[in-house]
Amino acid sequence: MADRIKSMRALLTKHLVEDLGSQKEWGHICDQIGMFCFSGLTPEQVAKMVGEHHVYMTSNGRISMAGVTSENAQYIAAAIHAVTK
């Protein structure tokens, strides 16, 4: 399970930086450990994630990495990219 979460962190970061070209610093996603990730999103950005993209997380931007899969990581990254532009 720990290896899968690490790979999902790396995949989410790859999609944000390499695939979408986000200019924000996303290294903290891979630097963290455990089942949750503090994304750095503001409450306003989180509200957009929920309301516009139907990606759910706590209002402080904490993402459950157990819910990130190889099938949805690209969608989640695109949503994060959209709300952080």
Side-chain angles (χ1 to χ4, degrees):
M1 178 64 125
D3 288 338
R4 189 190 82 74
I5 289 175
K6 283 182 189 178
S7 67
M8 290 304 102
R9 288 177 184 276
L11 184 60
L12 188 59
T13 303
K14 176 197 170 295
H15 285 315
L16 281 164
V17 176
E18 294 176 22
D19 299 343
L20 297 168
S22 177
Q23 298 299 305
K24 303 231 180 255
E25 172 54 48
W26 296 107
H28 63 279
I29 292 174
C30 291
D31 292 342
Q32 297 175 43
I33 59 171
M35 294 199 45
F36 298 96
C37 171
F38 283 99
S39 64
L41 298 179
T42 66
E44 294 79 17
Q45 292 168 327
V46 170
K48 285 184 180 180
M49 291 286 290
V50 172
E52 297 173 15
H53 303 282
H54 305 285
V55 175
Y56 299 92
M57 63 188 69
T58 61
S59 61
N60 65 356
R62 187 179 70 157
I63 300 170
S64 172
M65 291 307 298
V68 179
T69 67
S70 56
E71 289 80 24
N72 68 15
Q74 188 170 14
Y75 180 83
I76 295 168
I80 292 171
H81 184 60
V83 303
T84 58
K85 284 186 186 177

